[in-house]
Amino acid sequence: MKKVSLQYQYDYAAEIIKTAILQSQYEAAKDINRIQLGLYFGIGKFLSEKTRKAQWGTNALQSISDKLKSDLPGLRGFSATNLKKMRTFYNNWKSIDCNSPVATGEFNDTKSGNQAVDSNSSVATDEFNDEQNECNPIISIDNYTIKIDDIGSFPIEDFFKIPFSHHMLVVEKVKEIEARYYYINRTAEEHLSVEQLKKIIKNNDFENRASMPNNFPKTISNSSLARKAVMMFKDEYLLDFINVEEIGERDKNDIDERVVEKQIIENVKKFIMTFGKDFAFLGNQYHLEVYGENFFPDLLFFNRSLNALVVFELKTGDFKSIYLAQLMTYLRILDDKVRKPHENPSIGIVLCRNANKDFVKYVIQDYDKPMGVATFNTSSEMPEEFRNALPDIEELKKLL
């Protein structure tokens, strides 16, 4: 077979990428970020496989970039540095790839219907066609087929929502796969800027978050929703607006739950902000009735993000397994009598003073309603050195 020069290969590679760029521009009006990420992913694969097989020299990316700029004046975002980033992007997410059309040079000209390259040429068949990856695709995104093998919690929708610059920050700064999922989800949900994303990665929010014991993955059939629910609730909360010292001299474990509930109601905005956004308060001691039996869950909320009712049952002592049975009853009635047809199944949270997490994980697994157990502390229970660092409440009132 006739030997093809490296420069010819570079020019040919630039032609394939140019066609991919033009085709993506036709589709950009439909879904700009989705198309752009798909394009970068495919280009990244194409470049990765060529450089990995040592078919090209060290100046390959610069030569390809120069040819692209020459053929498409005014084109931005395809410098040698950015082409390298696309390759890095693919290499970090190649586990989800299954036969990207960029890598095989199979982009079609949408105007003429002709292929960008002659598929019968020796270059196309022998030099440029990549080996087909063997995989079982599950999700098809436009021209790109994504496979999900043992990573069923992959946040596919969130993945395509966040810009390329955010993706590059995640792959450069975060190595653990679950941590990447976390930061991708946070970015998509909270519309984080690059600087905000840098901050939460630097603060190591993923490691510092502590998911409460729950059965969400088992009881919520939608894996994306289950993951979102897991991420929403921590295992411990500081309810600093509850001042135990003001309640009286009783033993802290004997504080009446209604007193705590009353202080939460009086500070419901702070309570919601402690748990996160998208909570709407529906009421306390919410009346439920079935077959003549009456029940009164402590606190009922609706969460817009989860599209579900969330009931909190307050316990001022240690966790007991009977609390889950009580919560199970509330969730059954809420789903049958209160939940709207378009809403997801209700979620229950036991909020208690102390809990043996291992024991909770053990007993919660047999319940078929989404439940979790979190603990709370109050301001007076903080370590003395932390309490001393807080401003005096009277001085703060004067300042305000």
Side-chain angles (χ1 to χ4, degrees), residues 30 38 83 129 148 150 154 205 215 234 249 284 292 318 322 341 357 368 385:
K30 297 179 182 178
L83 290 176
N129 279 353
I148 311 296
D150 58 347
F154 179 76
D205 276 22
N215 63 357
K234 298 187 297 184
E249 299 299 326
N284 66 303
D318 295 341
I322 58 173
K357 294 174 68 173
D368 62 3
E385 61 268 26

Side-chain angles (χ1 to χ4, degrees), residues 98-115:
C98 184
N99 302 335
S100 165
V102 171
T104 56
E106 293 174 356
F107 281 93
N108 293 328
D109 185 318
T110 57
K111 288 185 177 180
S112 65
N114 297 323
Q115 285 192 316

Side-chain angles (χ1 to χ4, degrees), residues 34-70:
R34 194 182 189 92
I35 296 297
Q36 184 185 60
L37 286 178
L39 173 68
Y40 291 172
F41 186 82
I43 290 174
K45 176 176 181 177
F46 179 56
L47 298 175
S48 175
E49 297 201 355
K50 292 304 176 185
T51 53
R52 187 177 69 246
K53 295 173 182 176
Q55 295 179 338
W56 293 348
T58 55
N59 67 335
L61 298 186
Q62 186 61 59
S63 182
I64 292 170
S65 177
D66 291 343
K67 187 67 167 71
L68 288 171
K69 291 176 183 177
S70 173

Side-chain angles (χ1 to χ4, degrees), residues 24-25 35 41 47 240 257 281 294 304 309 319 346 351:
S24 73
Q25 289 174 344
I35 296 297
F41 186 82
L47 298 175
D240 56 357
E257 290 157 9
F281 181 52
N294 295 285
R304 294 176 59 207
L309 295 164
F319 169 79
S346 305
L351 191 58

Side-chain angles (χ1 to χ4, degrees), residues 138-161:
I138 294 179
I139 301 174
S140 180
I141 306 295
D142 301 321
N143 289 325
Y144 304 90
T145 306
I146 304 299
K147 70 166 184 173
I148 311 296
D149 286 343
D150 58 347
I151 51 173
S153 60
F154 179 76
I156 186 69
E157 290 302 324
D158 291 343
F159 184 87
F160 283 101
K161 286 180 182 178

Side-chain angles (χ1 to χ4, degrees), residues 197-249:
L197 179 57
K198 283 181 182 178
K199 183 176 180 180
I200 67 170
I201 292 176
K202 184 178 180 180
N203 291 341
N204 203 11
D205 276 22
F206 174 75
E207 291 296 335
N208 292 333
R209 100 235 180 284
S211 175
M212 67 178 179
N214 65 82
N215 63 357
F216 297 156
K218 177 183 176 182
T219 57
I220 300 177
S221 58
N222 184 311
S223 61
S224 177
L225 184 65
R227 185 170 54 83
K228 187 181 293 185
V230 168
M231 291 170 59
M232 180 162 291
F233 299 103
K234 298 187 297 184
D235 69 333
E236 184 175 73
Y237 294 90
L238 174 63
L239 304 185
D240 56 357
F241 51 83
I242 297 177
N243 193 335
V244 176
E245 293 175 350
E246 293 181 358
I247 297 176
E249 299 299 326

